[in-house]
Amino acid sequence: MRDEDELDRLIDKLTPEAKVRLLTGADTWRTAAEPAVELRPWVMSDGPAGVRGPSWDERHTAVLLPSATALAATWDEPLVERLGSLLALEARRKGVHVVLAPNLNLHRSPLGGRHFECLSEDPELTGRMGAALVRGVQSQGVAAAAKHYVANDSETDRLTVDVRVGERALREVYLAPFEAAVAAGVRVVMAGYNAVNGRTTTASSLLTTPLRTEWGFDGVVVSDWGAVRSTCETARAGLDLVMPGPEGAWGDALLRAVERGEVPQEAVDAKVRHLLQLGHWLGALGSMDRPPSRPRPRPAAVRALVRRAAAAGTVLLANRDVLPLDTERLATVAVIGARATRTRTQGGGSAGVFPQAEVGLLDGVRGRLRGRAEVVHVPGPALAGPPPALDGTLCTDPDSGAPGVLLRILDADGVELHAEHRFCARQLEPELPPGAHTVEIRAQLRPRETGTWTFGIAGFGRMSLRLDDRELLNGDFARETDDPALIHVMPPVRTVTAEVTAGTLPLLVARRELAPDTGRAVIVGAAPPVPDTDAALDAAARAARTSDVAIVVVGTTEDDECEGRDRVHLRLGSDQDALVRAVAAANPRTVVIVNSGGPVELPWRNEVGALLLSWFPGQEGGAALADVLFGLREPGGRLPTTWPATLADAPVTNTSPSDGRLDYTEGLHIGHRGWLRAGRTPAYWFGHGLGFTSWDYEELSGPPELTVGQSFAVRVRVRNTGPRSGREVVQVYLARPDGAVEYPRRWFAGYAAVHARAGQTVTAVVHVPAKALRHWDERAGRWRTESGPFRVLAGRSAGDVPLSLEVALRAAG
Ligand code: BGC
């Protein structure tokens, strides 16, 4: 970092106008440049599952990693760190300086719409995984951005919600992962849209204390996109950079506020200093270039790493002697479900990228069994949700005949200003030449099924949809939201149906007028006729009955798990429960793969042969799942979040503000802590996950006595009692049943993964930091640690802790 005097000299060189100009983005993703101090712009991009780069363009593909729940499910920090550095290399390839990840908000409610994008329900696990990702990203000279500071744990009314949370829960639960990210050296923190305890986070004193004063954060605080709606309040707070730009609530308004003395000049100078410091770190200041990064690994190595990560995050919830499958004993395998071909590799919203290539489960299984066994695919009932965006699998560009669509930009008289071939009809940021008035997408459909097709168009304002000479839709659709992600990335889909005959080549023409403030996005989708459900279930059962094993993939739809809205239920929908039941009744050797980012209800979970969670597994998902199914890799995952049997059982669910307020009345007790306090049993506990072997927990040993403030280690002896080598994630929880203050019934404090051969005994050493025993004293406004006895528990999940010991904690001094 440059020394303080030098930074002072640079700041002195800037006029008040120049300083203020630096504090708002130059466009959607870039910061402003300032030649007077040789500051070049830097580029930010979402994260967290891949680096999209500064445009939403399907021609600019990205490596797609498993989504955050899957990463946390690995309980493997070195692996997550490697994936972080892969993200950074992607960022370097795309000219990106700051990756807008990790998302450190918590799985407070299973209904949280961005659940898939957050790591876990637990502050400690989230902090560790988040810190690993930060270290990995930043190891290659790319900054990570910890978001969304803070308590931005659900999506309903996310721009206005005022989260009411007690000081103790705020410190111990919601701020804790950010504290861990700052300790790991994170260079950027993103302030969320929401308010906390009456103050919007972009104007909150939390941006100063604890962030800068207690934790020593010296990086840049950036606003979430469009989160800043006031000038003085936010400028006086610890926020440094308003995104996107160039318009925004600061600019000239901030300049005038400084002149009037409403915002101190020192506050502006401090922001500029943070930006210059980060510019220096990024190699965007002065004559120095970006420091070189590690060379990019070969594409095959990248794919192998992403595949390994997806297998490592796959959680085996139940196995009744079905997995792993032995290829030698299989003649026919049935792969069932629409998600077997359209495996959902990522969640929806700003995190979305255009993956290089995606391996669905069916491809993965076929790849593994080619030449060895027959693979039969039956799609089962159609999935609900909006029709998928058109692409080369369903249509061609009517101009060139190439797979894809023709994108045209028209002026007010309908005259073409620009036309280009595109691979798909999900166009979020088409280039707009001067005079642009209408975006048009033309597609020559190549239907293979006759019947009632569903067509969809997404966007705001005047839109129309024609199929040859049939007008399917024409209307004005008012924008009913201010949420930038809903306007620009996932506008609502309007659907219509029309009869289509297989073998014809109908021309679909979709148009959207570009009224001010309606965004640029237009997405056109189509879905073939929905098969009769009973017939689809019969076909699935028949295939299962005549196969040696049936693999069923079920999952959520684009409507279920997405940024910008919360879920309203946890059901699978689309007759997927009936599908599993029909298949399991036909063949006891049924393996179910759940393709979702967060919890869903699995009412048949005790009736199937084996149950795997794939999460949103990233681009190599299908190949990784095949590795697990056929025993090439052990399913490495453990649940990063407690999985309820039904939504009604979950102790914390509420995501709907009342009178604008969302009360976190459960205090410290989210996730497994809430279940333990309520005395309820979930379907699967936090930490649960099976490998292909079994383990005995034999002995726990640790110090009988400690002094307040001391970190410690415990040793857990485990024995591999099964037939194969394996990896076990040994977890440690703490409890203080006789404490003078309130504590969770028990809380997660650390873990260690061990490997052992069949029959081998190994010892896991689990380190517990001293801070695991501290609590926030609200009255004194500081951390305290109570002396007295506490218990250490060790086991395989929050609900299964067979070993325990007592430790006496002595007061210090
Ligand atoms: C999301 C952020 C994201 C930003 C930029 C916002 O709507 O909340 O997570 O980084 O958009 O895409």
Side-chain angles (χ1 to χ4, degrees):
M1 203 51 40
R2 296 209 163 185
D3 68 36
E4 294 300 307
D5 290 348
E6 199 179 342
L7 281 173
D8 284 341
R9 273 197 300 280
L10 291 179
I11 295 170
D12 284 349
K13 281 189 182 174
L14 296 172
T15 62
E17 290 78 8
K19 288 179 183 172
V20 159
R21 196 169 48 240
L22 285 180
L23 305 182
T24 296
D27 63 23
T28 311
W29 306 111
R30 278 177 193 77
T31 55
E34 182 45 69
V37 290
E38 288 186 85
L39 179 68
R40 294 177 290 285
W42 67 77
V43 176
M44 294 177 253
S45 172
D46 292 299
V51 182
R52 192 176 51 250
S55 65
W56 283 95
D57 186 321
E58 77 282 6
R59 294 166 297 190
H60 303 162
T61 59
V63 173
L64 175 62
L65 309 184
S67 56
T69 34
L71 294 189
T74 65
W75 296 60
D76 186 342
E77 288 157 69
L79 177 61
V80 171
E81 195 168 328
R82 277 189 70 189
L83 294 166
S85 87
L86 176 59
L87 277 182
L89 295 178
E90 280 285 280
R92 301 289 302 247
R93 175 171 77 85
K94 295 186 163 210
V96 167
H97 301 75
V98 180
V99 177
L100 301 175
N103 185 336
L104 299 179
N105 300 128
L106 296 179
H107 297 164
R108 174 178 170 268
S109 160
L111 296 174
R114 291 179 93 168
H115 201 289
F116 67 91
E117 205 187 313
C118 305
L119 293 154
S120 139
E121 70 183 17
D122 185 80
E124 177 69 23
L125 185 66
T126 302
R128 287 180 183 226
M129 294 296 162
L133 202 82
V134 166
R135 287 193 302 271
V137 170
Q138 296 195 164
S139 68
Q140 306 303 320
V142 172
K147 68 188 188 182
H148 311 83
Y149 192 83
V150 57
N152 186 179
D153 309 292
S154 48
E155 295 295 282
T156 308
D157 300 338
R158 67 174 180 158
L159 302 189
T160 52
V161 60
D162 179 13
V163 170
R164 296 289 167 144
V165 50
E167 188 69 16
R168 184 166 170 210
L170 188 58
R171 287 284 186 149
E172 293 182 26
V173 180
Y174 297 98
L175 284 167
F178 289 93
E179 185 175 2
V182 172
V186 75
R187 304 300 325 163
V188 178
V189 167
M190 184 192 291
Y193 289 122
N194 58 307
V196 173
N197 295 333
R199 242 325 144 95
T200 170
T201 53
T202 48
S204 169
S205 61
L206 292 168
L207 295 180
T208 311
T209 300
L211 183 62
R212 290 200 189 270
T213 53
E214 291 174 26
W215 302 346
F217 177 68
D218 64 357
V220 162
V221 178
V222 63
S223 73
D224 199 344
W225 269 232
V228 175
R229 279 153 288 168
S230 71
T231 307
C232 294
E233 248 197 321
T234 51
R236 283 195 295 259
L239 186 75
D240 298 311
L241 177 61
V242 171
M243 287 302 288
E247 280 84 38
W250 285 8
D252 285 348
L254 176 55
L255 201 58
R256 285 194 301 276
V258 175
E259 281 159 13
R260 285 199 296 268
E262 289 163 5
V263 173
Q265 183 61 53
E266 300 77 60
V268 169
D269 287 359
K271 299 176 198 307
V272 172
R273 173 183 300 270
H274 298 145
L275 287 169
L276 293 178
Q277 260 167 337
L278 180 59
H280 174 70
W281 190 86
L282 292 170
L285 183 66
S287 53
M288 236 179 59
D289 268 345
R290 296 183 80 176
S293 66
R294 198 157 47 80
R296 209 177 131 71
R298 283 173 298 109
V302 169
R303 293 186 66 174
L305 175 61
V306 176
R307 179 169 172 170
R308 190 184 129 207
T314 300
V315 181
L316 178 60
L317 288 178
N319 187 11
R320 299 177 179 94
D321 275 339
V322 174
L323 292 181
L325 300 172
D326 181 353
T327 42
E328 300 300 315
R329 293 173 178 213
L330 299 174
T332 310
V333 173
V335 177
I336 297 168
R339 285 270 170 252
T341 42
R342 271 175 51 211
T343 306
R344 215 176 153 202
T345 56
Q346 59 180 329
S350 59
V353 301
F354 292 100
Q356 287 177 329
E358 287 171 292
V359 185
L361 191 267
L362 181 62
D363 291 339
V365 172
R366 280 198 173 132
R368 167 78 16 223
L369 292 183
R370 189 156 301 128
R372 301 182 200 204
E374 192 193 347
V375 178
V376 180
H377 171 58
V378 181
L383 291 175
L390 283 168
D391 62 19
T393 59
L394 212 58
C395 61
T396 50
D397 172 340
D399 236 21
S400 64
V405 302
L406 179 68
L407 172 72
R408 297 169 76 220
I409 309 296
L410 313 176
D411 73 8
D413 301 320
V415 174
E416 179 180 297
L417 299 174
H418 175 76
E420 64 181 338
H421 172 72
R422 300 297 293 253
F423 303 147
C424 75
R426 181 163 186 254
Q427 294 300 329
L428 303 182
E429 289 179 332
E431 286 278 329
L432 298 183
H437 176 272
T438 297
V439 181
E440 184 191 89
I441 288 180
R442 284 177 174 255
Q444 191 94 63
L445 295 184
R446 297 181 170 268
R448 284 182 290 269
E449 286 106 327
T450 298
T452 309
W453 282 65
T454 305
F455 296 93
I457 180 164
F460 291 107
R462 262 221 99 69
M463 300 194 294
S464 66
L465 207 51
R466 293 186 74 83
L467 191 64
D468 287 335
D469 50 6
R470 283 180 278 174
E471 180 166 85
L472 302 184
L473 176 140
N474 192 348
D476 203 347
F477 302 94
R479 170 159 79 77
E480 70 286 286
T481 175
D482 288 330
D483 191 318
L486 293 177
I487 299 169
H488 302 293
V489 185
M490 326 136 306
V493 186
R494 331 280 165 175
T495 56
V496 283
T497 56
E499 297 305 312
V500 175
T501 308
T504 57
L505 295 174
L507 178 68
L508 186 71
V509 180
R511 285 188 175 177
R512 184 167 102 65
E513 290 182 12
L514 295 158
D517 287 335
T518 58
R520 274 190 271 174
V522 57
I523 307 166
V524 185
V530 174
D532 173 68
T533 303
D534 288 340
L537 294 177
D538 281 352
R542 227 175 307 123
R545 205 169 298 123
T546 52
S547 298
D548 299 307
V549 66
I551 303 167
V552 190
V553 191
V554 291
T556 51
T557 70
E558 281 70 12
D559 264 354
D560 291 325
E561 293 181 274
C562 192
E563 180 182 343
R565 56 177 178 265
D566 288 316
R567 296 165 73 186
V568 287
H569 63 75
L570 299 182
R571 292 185 300 279
L572 278 167
S574 308
D575 297 303
Q576 296 187 89
D577 290 332
L579 176 67
V580 174
R581 287 207 155 109
V583 172
N587 189 338
R589 288 171 60 77
T590 290
V591 180
V592 180
I593 297 175
V594 182
N595 181 202
S596 71
V600 284
E601 294 172 0
L602 310 170
W604 34 258
R605 65 187 183 282
N606 296 323
E607 299 159 31
V608 299
L611 180 54
L612 281 166
L613 300 185
S614 71
W615 313 103
F616 296 146
Q619 65 176 54
E620 305 298 327
L625 284 161
D627 291 344
V628 168
L629 290 168
F630 296 102
L632 274 75
R633 284 193 185 277
E634 200 183 24
R638 301 293 184 269
L639 283 177
T641 206
T642 305
W643 202 277
T646 66
L647 176 62
D649 292 348
V652 182
T653 53
N654 183 24
T655 59
S656 298
S658 127
D659 288 333
R661 287 171 53 144
L662 184 62
D663 282 298
Y664 284 16
T665 47
E666 69 283 352
L668 304 174
H669 308 280
I670 69 162
H672 55 282
R673 302 164 170 201
W675 287 86
L676 288 162
R677 185 172 67 151
R680 294 185 204 162
T681 307
Y684 304 103
W685 285 99
F686 171 82
H688 172 71
L690 309 169
F692 287 147
T693 187
S694 52
W695 300 85
D696 261 5
Y697 278 66
E698 294 187 340
E699 195 187 41
L700 167 66
S701 54
E705 224 179 60
L706 287 169
T707 305
V708 164
Q710 241 185 305
S711 297
F712 62 100
V714 295
R715 299 165 69 81
V716 187
R717 202 177 71 220
V718 293
R719 191 159 59 86
N720 180 345
T721 53
R724 296 171 58 117
S725 301
R727 172 182 185 261
E728 176 70 343
V729 178
V730 176
Q731 301 157 41
V732 164
Y733 298 81
L734 304 180
R736 301 201 84 163
D738 304 320
V741 295
E742 183 195 18
Y743 293 98
R745 292 291 185 278
R746 59 176 165 267
W747 66 98
F748 173 68
Y751 72 95
V754 288
H755 295 261
R757 292 186 308 277
Q760 196 189 1
T761 300
V762 286
T763 299
V765 180
V766 181
H767 295 274
V768 179
K771 68 178 171 52
L773 283 157
R774 68 185 186 175
H775 69 271
W776 183 256
D777 181 335
E778 292 193 352
R779 253 189 311 176
R782 66 177 182 83
W783 293 105
R784 258 188 214 288
T785 302
E786 242 197 305
S787 56
F790 71 92
R791 297 200 72 74
V792 180
L793 303 111
R796 38 178 91 80
S797 78
D800 185 358
V801 278
L803 302 175
S804 75
L805 63 82
E806 186 158 302
V807 182
L809 191 57
R810 278 192 319 249

